[in-house]
Amino acid sequence: MAIFDMKDYSPAARRYWFAVVALGYAALAYAVHQVSEFDWPILLQVLGGAAVAAVVALFPVRIPGTKTSIAGGEIFIVLIMLLYGVPAGMLAASIEGLVASWRTSKRWTSRFGTPAMAALAMLFAGTLLETARAYMPANGWGRAAMVTSLLVFGVVYFAANTLLTSTLIALKNRAPVSPLKWWRSMGWISMAYMTSGSIAGLLFISFERFGVPVLLVGVPLITMFLSSLHSYFQRKEADEQHMQQLKASESRFHSAFTHAAIGMALVSTEGRFLQANKSYCDMLGRPAGELLASTLDETVHDEDVGSIKELVDKLLAGEIQSIATEVRGNHSDGTSVWMALNVSLARDWQFRTHNLIIQAQDISARRRAEAELYHTAYHDSLTQLSNRTHFNEQLNRAIARAQRHAEQRFAVMYLDFDRFKMVNDSLGHRAGDELLVHLARRLQSILRPMDVIARLGGDEFAILLENVQHERDAVQFTERIQKELNRPFQLGEMEVTISASIGITFSTNGYQTAEQIIRDADIAMYKAKSKGKAQYALFDASLHQHVAAQLKLESELRRALSQGQIYLQYQPIYMLRDQRLIGFEALVRWRHPERGLLDPGEFIPTAEETGLIVPLGNWILMQACQQMRLWCHAYDNPGLRMSVNVSSMQLNQPDFVARVRDALVQAQLSPSQLTLEVTESVLMNNIQSVIPILEELRRMGVMLSIDDFGTGYSSLNYLATLPIDALKVDRSFVERMTRDGQGNEIVKAIFRLGQALSKQVYAEGIETGTQLLLLQELGCEYGQGYLLSRPLDPEHAAGFVAARAKPAMGAAAVVLH
């Protein structure tokens, strides 16, 4: 039949099932036939008892630790059998079996087979009991024999019922039928059947003596008994489930503990290791036995023991709930391992503290990365000295200490190395970098551990000297630095000596910030540099006033550029042979609203220091070219030239050549009408970077001149190759020229040098007739000075341009102008 799913049944099991079912239902048919002949009151009692057994079967009691349930309906089945015979008992057993199988299984083979097997088991066991009862006396001994027989009946009934079922299971699994094995594992359940039989017997005996009231009282008592048993077994089952859950939880914890990728350890509250997984042992490079024989303090770096012990004490005292910290662990090879520790309490079911659970993760790689980032952020990449940021932090800490403890004085030294730029320019930047590294190492070697040295940028260094009681201590250390620097440095095959200009300031000046100290030390350094090489200077109030004045001048100069206070004057340049005007030199002037007319020497150095020389120089260039355009167009004199001084900062601007071109285009001037004058020192200090710019200007057609020639240290080799058109003799040499020949030789030498190099020679600062005549005798071509004309405003200069076509004027006439 389709409803009988017997795919898992072996052929022998199928045959057995059909045989048992056929026999069972045949026996059940016989029982029904017998019961149907009962009187209606008796029949109703049989059916009522069977119904009670069936209802009880709906509420089975599961025996803890097994898959077996006891319903308790056997009590009523046996009682029906004793009262109304074996057929009635077979009918009750079949009904109870049908209800139980319907509740516990969805397979039709079980639902059909269980009632049949129950009927056969009751037929066999009940027949044996009825046979035994025929021989029992009717007295007290007979009732005792009855109870004993019912105990045996329970065993037999259980055996028959279970044997029928276990045989089917064995045949399904193609396993041999083993009654002894079955009895050893399941025989104890027969006690429940024996109990049911004995209870039924007692009820039967009481019924014979007291009648139906016994049954009315017995049924509720049996129900209460079964309910109590059910409740008891449920609690036992719940306890067993809880134990299973605890075991499963413990198993999971043990598995997670043992195989965790991070280190885990169980430590007693006294610090003794009780258990540790492989990851923890590997992290510290220790075998499990060695680790378990040690304490937590022994595996932590000495410097971190105090902090971890303090945290554990707080944890045990309940002040904190857990610990999350980072400490250094002692590896077996003697190195330190950075560990991130998480520590919590392991408590029992009564919440009593037993041990500490430690989770540890190796964070050494992260710590190394952080240390490298910190080093990068606070150290100079070339010299590995502290950088400006780190130096400022250390300096601020020193200020705070000095404010708390006045006796903890300190000094700060600002170092700038003399002639370092020359090393860079002549030997290259790689040699310059190598020199900086050597300087850093040598300075570090003479410092105390408490002192701090930093590279602030370029060739500027700073030193923080702690615990300086007297100014002479810093001065003596400065002398020691200079002595160390006097020893040559080996750069490749070349030995280089270098010195430093050093500015010094002291904490006794009452500083509040690191920036104030570095500022004043820098100011003192510039004062030292102004005194020459290898000098030092101490900061004082006068320097501060000087700087304040410079700052004020810088601010005023910025306003002057935007408010029109800056203007140009023009000093004529003549051909000395016939005193013919050939051009002008543009000279900047500042009409200060409070101080009056300022000489260029008062504000040009400030403009160069602050970078204002670039916009100022660009303005002068543009203004001078525009003025020349006006004169040329007004008086038709295209041959005039305009000379403009150019600073080193202007030359270093990447757009300088473009600005010169724009100035000429906007003024509609020919490049040959513009002469750019560059001082000798600017050329020599920036020779490598300046030459390409000068060559580009020369190709454009602009004339180039060396201003203040003779005051610097020009190399004849460079002079021969420089794209220069003219040399301008400095006024200091012209001033010394006299008729008796004193001071004339230098000018003669410069003039002959110009002739040898095919350069034009200009003289400036001509103030006497004797100077003019001597220069004419030497053959000097061009000149300017107060004798010929003072600097003029544009209107007066225009008169000179207008008079250019008139006959040449004598020297005396020129002076009148």
Side-chain angles (χ1 to χ4, degrees):
M1 295 174 66
I3 60 174
F4 297 117
D5 182 12
M6 303 183 75
K7 293 180 180 179
D8 57 337
Y9 280 61
S10 66
R14 291 193 189 96
R15 291 193 294 271
Y16 174 81
W17 185 87
F18 281 111
V20 169
V21 170
L23 289 173
Y25 280 103
L28 186 58
Y30 162 75
V32 172
H33 174 70
Q34 293 293 321
V35 171
S36 65
E37 296 181 353
F38 290 168
D39 295 334
W40 280 107
I42 301 301
L43 181 60
L44 290 176
Q45 292 178 24
V46 171
L47 294 177
V52 172
V55 171
V56 174
L58 293 175
F59 304 97
V61 178
R62 185 177 181 275
I63 301 173
T66 71
K67 296 182 180 181
T68 304
S69 300
I70 298 176
E74 287 81 4
I75 298 174
F76 300 97
I77 295 171
V78 175
L79 183 59
I80 292 172
M81 181 201 68
L82 292 174
L83 290 172
Y84 306 112
V86 174
M90 291 170 62
L91 180 60
S94 297
I95 293 173
E96 190 269 347
L98 176 63
V99 173
S101 64
W102 198 275
R103 182 187 60 81
T104 59
S105 177
K106 293 182 180 181
R107 297 190 63 168
W108 288 96
T109 52
S110 296
R111 293 176 177 182
F112 271 87
T114 300
M117 293 179 185
L120 289 177
M122 178 56 72
L123 176 61
F124 176 71
T127 302
L128 290 179
L129 180 63
E130 287 296 319
T131 302
R133 286 178 65 185
Y135 297 98
M136 294 179 187
N139 55 21
W141 289 103
R143 288 191 292 271
M146 171 65 75
V147 174
T148 303
S149 298
L150 285 172
L151 293 175
V152 176
F153 164 82
V155 175
V156 173
Y157 180 49
F158 163 74
N161 205 350
T162 308
L163 184 60
L164 290 170
T165 304
S166 62
T167 301
L168 177 62
I169 294 173
L171 293 174
K172 282 178 61 178
N173 296 331
R174 294 179 172 82
V177 179
S178 178
L180 291 177
K181 181 180 179 183
W182 158 77
W183 181 259
R184 283 195 298 270
S185 61
M186 304 291 293
W188 63 274
I189 303 177
S190 64
M191 297 296 294
Y193 283 81
M194 293 171 64
T195 303
S196 298
S198 61
I199 294 173
L202 293 173
L203 288 173
F204 174 71
I205 293 170
S206 300
F207 174 76
E208 285 184 332
R209 185 172 180 178
F210 300 106
V212 176
V214 172
L215 296 179
L216 297 177
V217 175
V219 171
L221 292 175
I222 293 170
T223 302
M224 290 177 62
F225 166 74
L226 292 176
S227 298
S228 299
L229 188 64
H230 179 75
S231 177
Y232 171 74
F233 281 161
Q234 275 191 328
R235 288 197 301 271
K236 292 289 291 185
E237 185 176 11
D239 290 343
E240 288 189 3
Q241 288 178 349
H242 183 62
M243 290 301 296
Q244 290 296 327
Q245 291 173 352
L246 287 177
K247 289 180 180 178
S249 177
E250 183 180 356
S251 176
R252 289 193 298 269
F253 173 77
H254 186 268
S255 177
F257 183 93
T258 303
H259 302 293
I262 64 173
M264 296 188 69
L266 198 62
V267 179
S268 70
T269 54
E270 291 77 25
R272 178 69 58 183
F273 279 93
L274 304 176
Q275 192 175 355
N277 67 355
K278 184 176 183 298
S279 297
Y280 203 107
C281 296
D282 292 345
M283 191 186 309
L284 297 178
R286 301 169 185 259
E290 179 184 338
L291 190 62
L292 295 179
S294 60
T295 64
L296 180 62
D297 290 351
E298 292 171 352
T299 62
V300 174
H301 194 280
D302 292 343
E303 295 179 3
D304 297 335
V305 168
S307 62
I308 189 66
K309 187 176 185 305
E310 181 180 354
L311 290 172
V312 169
D313 290 342
K314 289 183 178 180
L315 180 64
L316 295 175
E319 298 178 15
I320 56 177
Q321 298 301 313
S322 62
I323 297 173
T325 187
E326 295 180 0
V327 298
R328 287 163 291 179
N330 295 324
H331 196 276
S332 60
D333 61 6
T335 61
S336 293
V337 179
W338 273 103
M339 303 185 300
L341 293 187
N342 283 279
V343 186
S344 56
L345 297 176
R347 303 178 186 271
D348 60 12
W349 65 278
Q350 293 179 325
F351 294 96
R352 292 178 301 192
T353 301
H354 274 243
N355 302 304
L356 304 175
I357 297 178
I358 298 178
Q359 300 178 60
Q361 190 171 2
D362 187 345
I363 57 170
S364 299
R366 193 200 80 195
R367 279 286 189 158
R368 284 194 296 271
E370 289 176 350
E372 290 173 2
L373 288 174
Y374 178 87
H375 186 84
T376 301
Y378 285 95
H379 290 79
D380 174 58
S381 59
L382 175 64
T383 62
Q384 301 305 310
L385 298 178
S386 296
N387 60 12
R388 183 182 291 271
T389 301
H390 189 229
F391 188 77
N392 282 352
E393 286 189 3
Q394 298 300 315
L395 199 48
N396 282 323
R397 290 193 183 98
I399 293 171
R401 284 195 300 271
Q403 289 174 344
R404 292 192 304 269
H405 308 285
E407 71 280 1
Q408 294 189 2
R409 303 171 184 170
F410 62 87
V412 172
M413 310 175 73
Y414 200 108
L415 289 75
D416 183 88
F417 296 100
D418 306 320
R419 297 194 305 149
F420 176 78
K421 183 172 177 55
M422 185 186 69
V423 174
N424 251 351
D425 292 341
S426 59
L427 301 181
H429 289 286
R430 180 173 297 181
D433 290 346
E434 185 180 353
L435 177 58
L436 289 174
V437 172
H438 287 315
L439 286 168
R441 298 294 169 267
R442 192 171 292 184
L443 291 174
Q444 273 185 314
S445 67
I446 61 175
L447 289 174
R448 300 166 299 175
M450 68 181 72
D451 301 327
V452 181
I453 180 172
R455 182 190 177 204
L456 303 183
D459 63 328
E460 295 179 341
F461 287 54
I463 298 175
L464 168 62
L465 296 177
E466 297 276 14
N467 295 331
V468 176
Q469 299 302 318
H470 305 285
E471 290 186 359
R472 64 174 178 274
D473 297 335
V475 172
Q476 289 173 355
F477 187 75
T478 301
E479 294 171 349
R480 186 178 177 187
I481 289 175
Q482 299 291 11
K483 183 178 180 181
E484 285 292 326
L485 296 180
N486 281 335
R487 293 191 295 117
F489 295 91
Q490 191 70 37
L491 301 180
E493 297 180 355
M494 183 174 293
E495 285 189 348
V496 174
T497 56
I498 200 166
S499 59
S501 297
I502 304 174
I504 309 171
T505 190
F506 299 91
S507 59
T508 51
N509 289 326
Y511 294 109
Q512 299 297 318
T513 66
E515 289 75 12
Q516 294 172 343
I517 296 180
I518 294 176
R519 176 202 65 198
D520 290 353
D522 189 17
I523 291 171
M525 183 273 293
Y526 275 103
K527 179 182 179 183
K529 189 174 285 291
S530 67
K531 294 160 56 176
K533 295 178 174 59
Q535 300 293 321
Y536 71 87
L538 304 181
F539 179 81
D540 56 30
S542 63
L543 284 179
H544 201 338
Q545 293 170 359
H546 171 73
V547 171
Q550 291 294 99
L551 290 174
K552 181 181 179 183
L553 185 63
E554 176 189 350
S555 176
E556 292 173 341
L557 182 57
R558 291 182 187 277
R559 287 198 300 271
L561 282 171
S562 62
Q563 295 177 2
Q565 299 174 17
I566 303 296
Y567 66 97
L568 295 182
Q569 287 187 332
Y570 302 92
Q571 186 169 34
I573 302 175
Y574 290 91
M575 181 175 288
L576 297 183
R577 184 178 61 255
D578 56 6
Q579 299 182 36
R580 180 167 56 87
L581 179 69
I582 63 168
F584 294 90
E585 179 181 2
L587 301 174
V588 65
R589 298 289 186 265
W590 180 4
R591 188 177 289 106
H592 194 280
E594 298 175 0
R595 299 167 59 185
L597 185 63
L598 296 183
D599 186 83
E602 296 184 62
F603 62 89
I604 291 298
T606 298
E608 290 178 340
E609 289 179 10
T610 60
L612 287 174
I613 193 65
V614 173
L616 177 62
N618 293 335
W619 179 83
I620 293 172
L621 175 64
M622 188 68 68
Q623 189 73 14
C625 290
Q626 292 292 336
Q627 184 62 63
M628 180 57 70
R629 173 196 175 191
L630 294 176
W631 290 337
C632 290
H633 285 196
Y635 303 105
D636 191 23
N637 288 320
L640 289 177
R641 294 199 298 266
M642 179 66 73
S643 294
V644 177
N645 291 281
V646 177
S647 72
S648 61
M649 195 169 292
Q650 281 181 276
L651 281 175
N652 287 324
Q653 297 299 308
D655 63 342
F656 178 70
V657 175
R659 285 190 174 276
V660 172
R661 185 181 291 109
D662 290 345
L664 292 171
V665 170
Q666 291 183 31
Q668 300 177 4
L669 295 182
S670 168
S672 61
Q673 290 181 269
L674 177 64
T675 300
L676 297 180
E677 297 186 7
V678 185
T679 61
E680 187 177 7
S681 59
V682 168
L683 288 177
M684 293 302 104
N685 290 335
N686 303 274
I687 191 70
Q688 298 298 330
S689 59
V690 165
I691 286 179
I693 298 172
L694 297 180
E695 289 177 343
E696 190 171 354
L697 291 169
R698 186 81 173 281
R699 286 193 297 270
M700 190 190 303
V702 175
M703 292 189 65
L704 302 172
S705 172
I706 298 181
D707 194 16
D708 299 334
F709 187 77
T711 60
Y713 302 92
S714 300
S715 166
L716 293 179
N717 182 50
Y718 278 129
L719 279 178
T721 58
L722 276 173
I724 294 297
D725 300 291
L727 307 176
K728 182 177 283 190
V729 182
D730 186 68
R731 68 175 60 250
S732 61
F733 300 122
V734 175
E735 288 174 354
R736 289 180 238 163
M737 297 181 68
T738 60
R739 179 57 67 181
D740 59 8
Q742 293 182 1
N744 298 351
E745 297 301 323
I746 294 179
V747 178
K748 289 181 182 179
I750 294 174
F751 179 72
R752 290 169 185 164
L753 177 63
Q755 287 181 321
L757 297 176
S758 300
K759 311 293 183 185
Q760 296 176 359
V761 179
Y762 287 69
E764 63 178 355
I766 304 173
E767 296 183 357
T768 66
T770 301
Q771 294 169 351
L772 176 61
L773 293 174
L774 290 174
L775 288 169
Q776 290 173 334
E777 291 174 3
L778 288 174
C780 183
E781 301 172 274
Y782 309 102
Q784 64 189 92
Y786 283 4
L787 175 68
L788 302 175
S789 175
R790 291 178 176 274
L792 307 169
D793 57 36
E795 291 76 14
H796 288 85
F800 275 64
V801 177
R804 179 183 179 189
K806 298 179 180 181
M809 296 172 292
V814 172
V815 174
L816 293 176
H817 288 286

